[in-house]
Amino acid sequence: MKLTILGTGNAKVTKCYNTCFTLNEEDEKEYFLVDGGGGSTILKQLENAGISWKDIHTIFVTHKHIDHLLGIIWMLRMYCQGMARGQFDEEVRIYAHDEVIRLLRQMSEMLLTPKETAFIGEKAYLIEVKDGEEKSILGHKTTFFDIRSTKAKQYGFCMEYTDGKKLTCCGDEPYNECEEKYAVNSTWLLHEAFCLYSQADKFKPYEKHHSTVKDACELAQKLGAENLILYHTEDKNISRRKELYTAEGKPYYNGNLLIPDDLETIEL
């Protein structure tokens, strides 16, 4: 399995793109996209990563915040426009909880043309998933779960893949104990880290209901995660982000700590 990070930043970054990523089997051209970032830059990031939007047939949207949702409208436009013009003939499935599905449907009706929206429900499916519901994504059992956000309803997911390994995405908020059965002993754990703990006074992550590098690393150690990927960060330290975040995190986490840049690919 291969993970391509399309964006690593929080909502207001300008030096990188908002957090979103793809998963695909090694040497396979079918991709699973998780979130879309805040705009049409999703198309640029896919192009820069060498991924055709036509090869993405499954999408999951974690929640309704604009830095995760708006890029999906651009993906829907590409799909439906391609279908209307006879240039794209695949089925597309977009999974999310009920609030996100309702928003995507409303925004599509308001922003896309009738010729384009005619394909929503015909070949472009907006599919509601519930807490604990399982789907087969890229041929792997994937369970969606409510992270019990205090800001906006948000789901994460856990994908079980090769030889009993699992990848768990906790969304972009601090871990909640309700996620333990999914996150514990993860082969790969994806968790937000808004900033360094040493700079919490400057970036005020707790006021925004986010974690620091120290917090996320202590959590991963407690959960027994083999590998930890930190994302959804500030961008003021971006030139030294890997160095600084690794230095702060290592004393609290004994596993493999990764601080990816945009467009970085990780072999799972």
Side-chain angles (χ1 to χ4, degrees):
M1 185 76 72
K2 183 170 66 175
L3 186 152
T4 301
I5 299 285
L6 300 174
T8 57
N10 65 38
K12 295 183 178 180
V13 293
T14 58
K15 298 177 178 65
C16 57
Y17 191 50
N18 313 124
T19 294
C20 50
F21 60 91
T22 64
L23 289 165
N24 71 296
E25 291 282 4
E26 193 70 34
D27 300 324
E28 295 290 335
K29 290 189 66 178
E30 182 177 350
Y31 292 83
F32 173 42
L33 173 66
V34 179
D35 287 336
S40 62
T41 300
I42 183 64
L43 304 177
K44 177 178 182 291
Q45 293 300 88
L46 287 170
E47 183 176 292
N48 288 343
I51 300 171
S52 170
W53 61 266
K54 293 182 178 181
D55 292 329
I56 299 172
H57 302 151
T58 313
I59 295 175
F60 171 56
V61 189
T62 58
H63 62 300
K64 68 180 182 180
H65 288 167
I66 60 175
D67 57 314
H68 297 261
L69 182 70
L70 295 188
I72 304 301
I73 294 298
W74 283 92
M75 293 297 292
L76 268 172
R77 179 184 179 184
M78 298 299 289
Y79 292 135
C80 294
Q81 191 175 80
M83 292 170 182
R85 295 176 177 177
Q87 298 170 346
F88 180 66
D89 196 39
E90 302 289 338
E91 291 187 344
V92 175
R93 287 171 172 78
I94 300 178
Y95 296 104
H97 62 67
D98 57 343
E99 291 181 8
V100 170
I101 292 298
R102 185 164 57 251
L103 269 173
L104 288 173
R105 196 177 303 279
Q106 292 171 344
M107 293 173 71
S108 298
E109 291 172 354
M110 295 173 67
L111 300 174
L112 303 182
T113 69
K115 286 184 179 180
E116 292 164 350
T117 56
F119 291 95
I120 295 178
E122 294 295 324
K123 297 184 72 174
Y125 302 101
L126 303 180
I127 303 170
E128 176 188 342
V129 289
K130 299 184 182 300
D131 185 22
E133 186 169 353
E134 298 174 3
K135 297 288 183 181
S136 178
I137 308 292
L138 301 178
H140 301 296
K141 175 184 171 183
T142 303
T143 307
F144 301 98
F145 56 87
D146 192 335
I147 72 167
R148 303 289 190 266
S149 169
T150 58
K151 294 195 299 185
K153 186 175 180 179
Q154 181 171 173
Y155 275 22
F157 73 91
C158 180
M159 176 182 284
E160 299 176 23
Y161 66 106
T162 310
D163 299 326
K165 297 180 180 180
K166 68 176 183 178
L167 175 147
T168 306
C169 170
C170 294
D172 77 347
E173 292 193 17
Y175 167 83
N176 187 309
E177 289 185 357
C178 68
E179 303 169 62
E180 181 177 6
K181 64 180 179 180
Y182 304 109
V184 69
N185 297 324
S186 290
T187 312
W188 290 88
L189 180 67
L190 289 87
H191 199 280
E192 55 86 28
F194 195 83
C195 65
L196 295 163
Y197 180 76
S198 62
Q199 293 185 325
D201 288 344
K202 175 181 179 180
F203 291 106
K204 305 187 186 311
Y206 303 126
E207 293 180 13
K208 303 176 179 71
H209 199 52
H210 285 302
S211 305
T212 67
V213 173
K214 174 179 176 288
D215 300 328
C217 287
E218 287 179 328
L219 169 67
Q221 184 70 22
K222 177 182 176 182
L223 290 172
E226 293 181 28
N227 304 273
L228 173 63
I229 299 174
L230 298 183
Y231 59 14
H232 204 268
T233 79
E234 49 77 28
D235 65 347
K236 301 300 183 290
N237 288 306
I238 198 163
S239 64
R240 298 183 61 209
R241 182 173 60 181
K242 282 180 181 287
E243 172 192 351
L244 294 173
Y245 281 35
T246 300
E248 179 168 285
K250 277 297 184 181
Y252 304 100
Y253 175 61
N254 295 330
N256 181 31
L257 177 60
L258 286 87
I259 318 297
D261 291 323
D262 286 15
L263 304 178
E264 192 167 327
T265 296
I266 301 167
E267 301 290 337
L268 304 181

